[in-house]
Amino acid sequence: MEEVDQIIIHTLRQVGCELGDDVVSLKQFTTEITVEGVVRCLRFIRPDRELPIHVSPNMVERYNLGMTLASACTELGFKGDLGYQTFLYSSEAEMRRIFMFLIEKLPKESEKIVDQQLGAGAVMARAISEEISRQLNAPWLPSYCKRNGIRWKGGHWWREDYSSCRALETCKLLPPGSEPGASREPIWRQVHDRRSLAPSVFGFNAAAIASQQDQEADLHQVGLLSKGLQQEHRQRKKERVQKRIADAFQQSLLSTDQSRVDVSKLLSSLSLEDEAARPRGSKFTRAEKLQFTKEEETKQAAGDGARPELPKRTSEEDAEAKVKEMQAQLDSISEVIVQLEGQEKELTASMQQVSEDIRVKQAQKAELESQNELEHRALALLPDAEGNIAKLQGKVDAAAQKLVGLSVQWEKHRAPLIEQYRQLKEQCSKRLNETQQKLEEIKSLKDKMREISEQARSKEELHKQLVSEYEKLAKDVNRSSYTKRITEIVGNIKKQKEEIAKVLIDTKTLQKEINQLTGKLDRTFTVTDELIFKDAKKDEAVRRAYKYLASVHENSNQLLQAVEETGSIMREMRDLEDQIEQESQKKVVANLERITADYKQMKQENASLLAQLKGE
């Protein structure tokens, strides 16, 4: 059994159990190691099953864990009596049987490879379906039992409501080295909030991929396959964009200059018209003239000395007066601007109306001139109508003859041109067919290239997965030792089979000999019985011999029956001894004592819980 224990321990280490190097047999397994090994095997067999690895000190939880493990093993098809004591107070033979059963149920490497060959999409869909089924099978909890809508279940965090969600926010990112003028700061410092880092990165990557796909689609649509043609196409496209931008800027600058010139001219014309129409001046000019006249009068009064000196004002009053004067000037200027804008609108409207009237008059003038010319020509031809008609008829006949000659010449030139046109058309159709065939071939080659690239990517992913799995495997495992042990086990099994076959052959030969001897004995007894029975009627001694013969035969039969019964009793004794040994290995008495102790402990825990509930 040492080889079996080594195989079980090696498998448990591969599954994820942390076993020390000193653990070499199942005798050294504790309850914690046993439960952990069974739980990890069940997780590998049924990933959707969630079971705790560690054993709780509470007796109720230990009992529930043992019963769940027993039910899981029975669901997988384990034949035998299982209970919570099987895992908590297990014996070596029982645990060996359970571990061998679970190891046989573990998924093989071939199944993993098949799952990997399905592709990333199928594996993701399977994982999503498993996650959804796991969440649906989980019990419901109210929102106040979950912090921020997040719940921990079986080693996983997941969100069950949207009470603490936030809106999706992204920031513009410039990775270092992406552009010539890009900042050298890392991307996590370019965002204002850490929660918007992941959406910003996803958005940046999606935009880059979309632009690259658009460029590839544009190049494929144009039909540029080589790198040189692609670069030329991109350069021409860049030049066209730059030219459009330059033209747009130039037009905008020209329009702004023209508008400025027109506005200045309009303002100057309006000012001249205003001065000519209103010699008195506007409110602003009148206020300015009044101010200048007042200043002149004050100067004259100061020079003549006729008036008395005015009292000096304080600096604040002067400032207020200046502000009021400037405000008045500003109001007058704003009124003038409003008046000018109104006049500008009126003039533009009148100019549009005048331009439309001019266009209408010009069209009418052109029509009248054409009618006038026709009438003048008709009047000039009226005095000599017959001669003019004859001249026109001659010109018409000459034109007809000329047309006939031209048609004949055209027919001479037309026939070779038509043939040449047909030939060129056929050549073009052939070229089009060839180009279509080439395009179809190119498309098929592109499809093949895509399929090959996808296959190469899938194979690369599979290779990476296999390499990672190979790196995860233990390198210190000596394969030759395991193969040697397996060959030794196979050799021992063969030897046992040979010995069993020899024993079976011996038993068969013995049974044959016994059957032959019993048959011979029966035949000899019948012969002697007949011979003695004939003489027994005549002689008294022969009659006694016949009686002794019958008693000997009966005693021999009884002896044979006793021997057979003793053999069967010995076999039953051996079977009972084996059963006793098995039961002694199961430690039934110790298990019963432990079960009773567990029962008492559970009763005590229940009593304490009831006391706590009553106290509350």
Side-chain angles (χ1 to χ4, degrees):
M1 294 297 176
E2 293 180 358
E3 291 82 2
V4 178
D5 292 347
Q6 290 293 327
I7 292 168
I8 291 169
I9 291 166
H10 177 67
T11 306
L12 292 177
R13 284 173 179 167
Q14 287 184 344
V15 166
C17 295
E18 296 179 357
L19 301 176
D21 296 333
D22 55 346
V23 179
V24 293
S25 66
L26 295 180
K27 292 180 181 179
Q28 299 174 347
F29 276 28
T30 60
T31 304
E32 288 78 10
I33 295 172
T34 304
V35 171
E36 183 181 358
V38 174
V39 169
R40 290 191 183 277
C41 291
L42 290 173
R43 282 186 179 179
F44 265 84
I45 296 166
R46 297 281 297 275
D48 56 344
R49 188 179 292 277
E50 297 176 0
L51 296 170
I53 296 173
H54 302 289
V55 181
S56 176
N58 190 0
M59 192 59 224
V60 177
E61 293 181 359
R62 290 162 68 92
Y63 174 77
N64 292 329
L65 177 60
M67 292 304 294
T68 52
L69 293 177
S71 63
C73 292
T74 52
E75 286 176 2
L76 292 174
F78 183 79
K79 295 179 180 179
D81 295 331
L82 292 176
Y84 83 98
Q85 74 278 359
T86 307
F87 301 97
L88 298 181
Y89 315 119
S90 59
S91 62
E92 184 180 353
E94 288 179 350
M95 292 317 301
R96 189 177 288 111
R97 285 178 59 205
I98 292 168
F99 277 123
M100 290 303 294
F101 171 76
L102 293 174
I103 288 167
E104 289 177 357
K105 293 291 182 179
L106 286 174
K108 305 297 187 295
E109 293 294 331
S110 60
E111 296 177 0
K112 293 181 182 178
I113 293 168
V114 169
D115 292 338
Q116 291 171 0
Q117 290 178 355
L118 289 175
V123 173
M124 186 179 290
R126 183 180 293 178
I128 290 167
S129 63
E130 289 177 356
E131 182 67 20
I132 290 169
S133 63
R134 184 173 63 81
Q135 292 186 8
L136 289 174
N137 292 326
W140 176 81
L141 281 179
S143 59
Y144 54 80
C145 293
K146 294 172 286 190
R147 185 177 180 182
N148 295 327
I150 298 172
R151 181 180 178 185
W152 173 265
K153 183 68 176 176
H156 297 281
W157 289 101
W158 73 68
R159 186 183 294 277
E160 289 190 349
D161 58 3
Y162 299 93
S163 59
S164 60
C165 291
R166 63 188 297 271
L168 182 66
E169 294 180 358
T170 58
C171 300
K172 186 177 180 181
L173 299 178
L174 288 174
S178 61
E179 295 180 1
S183 63
R184 295 183 179 179
E185 292 184 354
I187 56 175
W188 59 83
R189 291 183 181 175
Q190 297 179 13
V191 296
H192 301 291
D193 192 356
R194 289 183 299 173
R195 292 177 292 181
S196 61
L197 177 60
S200 302
V201 173
F202 294 155
F204 179 78
N205 291 333
I209 292 167
S211 64
Q212 186 177 2
Q213 289 178 355
D214 292 338
Q215 290 178 2
E216 290 179 356
D218 190 8
L219 293 173
H220 286 302
Q221 187 176 4
V222 175
L224 302 174
L225 299 175
S226 62
K227 292 183 178 179
L229 295 174
Q230 291 179 6
Q231 291 177 358
E232 290 178 1
H233 176 69
R234 289 173 181 169
Q235 187 66 26
R236 287 198 299 272
K237 193 172 181 181
K238 185 177 179 181
E239 290 176 357
R240 285 199 300 271
V241 172
Q242 289 178 354
K243 188 176 180 182
R244 287 180 184 176
I245 293 168
D247 293 339
F249 274 115
Q250 190 173 2
Q251 289 177 2
S252 64
L253 290 172
L254 289 172
S255 62
T256 52
D257 294 338
Q258 187 68 29
S259 63
R260 287 175 184 173
V261 172
D262 294 339
V263 170
S264 62
K265 288 181 179 179
L266 183 61
L267 290 172
S268 62
S269 63
L270 287 172
S271 62
L272 291 172
E273 289 176 359
D274 196 4
E275 288 177 359
R278 292 185 294 175
R280 292 182 180 180
S282 63
K283 185 177 180 181
F284 174 69
T285 55
R286 289 198 299 273
E288 191 175 3
K289 287 179 181 180
L290 182 62
Q291 185 179 0
F292 283 122
T293 53
K294 285 181 179 180
E295 288 178 357
E296 288 176 358
E297 288 177 356
T298 53
K299 286 179 181 179
Q300 289 177 2
D304 296 337
R307 294 182 181 180
E309 293 183 357
L310 296 173
K312 294 182 180 180
R313 296 179 180 178
T314 60
S315 60
E316 294 180 357
E317 291 177 354
D318 293 337
E320 289 178 358
K322 287 181 181 179
V323 168
K324 288 180 181 179
E325 289 176 0
M326 292 175 73
Q327 187 67 34
Q329 292 177 5
L330 182 62
D331 294 336
S332 62
I333 290 167
S334 62
E335 289 178 359
V336 170
I337 290 168
V338 170
Q339 290 176 2
L340 290 173
E341 287 178 353
Q343 292 176 5
E344 182 183 1
K345 290 179 181 179
E346 292 176 358
L347 288 172
T348 52
S350 62
M351 285 174 68
Q352 289 178 358
Q353 290 179 358
V354 169
S355 62
E356 288 178 358
D357 294 336
I358 289 168
R359 288 175 186 173
V360 173
K361 296 292 183 182
Q362 286 178 355
Q364 292 176 359
K365 181 183 176 183
E367 290 178 358
L368 292 172
E369 285 179 354
S370 62
Q371 290 178 2
N372 191 10
E373 286 179 0
L374 289 172
E375 289 176 356
H376 277 295
R377 288 179 182 178
L379 289 171
L381 294 172
L382 281 174
D384 192 5
E386 294 179 356
N388 291 325
I389 289 167
K391 288 179 181 179
L392 286 171
Q393 189 66 35
K395 288 182 179 180
V396 169
D397 294 335
Q401 290 178 0
K402 190 175 181 181
L403 286 171
V404 171
L406 290 172
S407 64
V408 172
Q409 292 178 2
W410 168 244
E411 287 294 332
K412 290 180 181 179
H413 292 287
R414 182 171 173 271
L417 290 172
I418 288 171
E419 290 180 358
Q420 189 177 1
Y421 171 73
R422 289 175 180 172
Q423 291 176 359
L424 292 172
K425 192 174 182 181
E426 289 177 357
Q427 291 177 2
C428 288
S429 63
K430 289 180 181 179
R431 288 181 181 177
L432 286 172
N433 292 326
E434 290 177 356
T435 52
Q436 287 179 357
Q437 290 178 358
K438 288 181 180 179
L439 287 172
E440 289 177 356
E441 290 177 357
I442 289 166
K443 288 180 180 178
S444 63
L445 289 172
K446 286 180 181 178
D447 295 333
K448 288 181 181 178
M449 288 170 66
R450 288 175 184 173
E451 291 177 358
I452 291 167
S453 62
E454 289 177 357
Q455 291 178 1
R457 288 175 185 172
S458 62
K459 288 181 179 179
E460 285 178 358
E461 291 177 357
L462 181 61
H463 179 261
K464 289 179 181 178
Q465 290 177 358
L466 293 173
V467 168
S468 62
E469 289 180 359
Y470 174 73
E471 290 177 354
K472 289 178 182 178
L473 293 174
K475 301 295 188 299
D476 56 350
V477 178
N478 192 358
R479 189 178 181 84
S480 61
S481 63
Y482 283 106
T483 53
K484 188 176 180 181
R485 288 179 183 175
I486 291 166
T487 52
E488 288 177 357
I489 292 166
V490 172
N492 293 327
I493 291 167
K494 286 181 179 179
K495 288 180 182 179
Q496 290 176 1
K497 285 183 178 179
E498 290 176 357
E499 290 177 357
I500 290 166
K502 289 178 181 179
V503 171
L504 290 172
I505 291 166
D506 293 337
T507 52
K508 286 179 181 179
T509 53
L510 288 172
Q511 190 67 35
K512 285 180 181 179
E513 289 177 358
I514 290 166
N515 293 330
Q516 289 175 1
L517 291 172
T518 53
K520 189 176 181 180
L521 180 62
D522 292 334
R523 288 194 298 274
T524 53
F525 176 73
T526 53
V527 171
T528 53
D529 188 9
E530 289 176 356
L531 292 172
I532 294 170
F533 184 74
K534 289 178 182 179
D535 296 332
K537 294 178 181 179
K538 298 177 182 179
D539 193 357
E540 186 68 25
V542 176
R543 188 181 295 172
R544 290 177 184 174
Y546 180 74
K547 289 180 180 179
Y548 291 147
L549 179 64
S551 62
V552 168
H553 182 67
E554 187 177 357
N555 291 327
S556 64
N557 288 330
Q558 289 177 358
L559 287 171
L560 289 172
Q561 189 176 0
V563 169
E564 290 177 356
E565 288 177 356
T566 53
S568 62
I569 289 166
M570 291 294 291
R571 286 196 297 273
E572 290 177 358
M573 288 174 65
R574 288 173 185 170
D575 294 336
L576 290 171
E577 287 176 356
D578 294 334
Q579 290 179 3
I580 289 164
E581 288 180 358
Q582 291 178 1
E583 293 295 331
S584 63
Q585 289 178 359
K586 289 181 181 179
K587 301 176 183 178
V588 178
V589 178
N591 289 333
L592 285 173
E593 292 177 356
R594 289 175 179 175
I595 289 167
T596 53
D598 294 340
Y599 177 68
K600 290 178 181 178
Q601 187 178 355
M602 289 173 69
K603 287 180 75 175
Q604 290 176 0
E605 290 177 357
N606 291 330
S608 62
L609 289 172
L610 288 171
Q612 289 178 3
L613 290 171
K614 288 178 181 179
E616 291 178 357

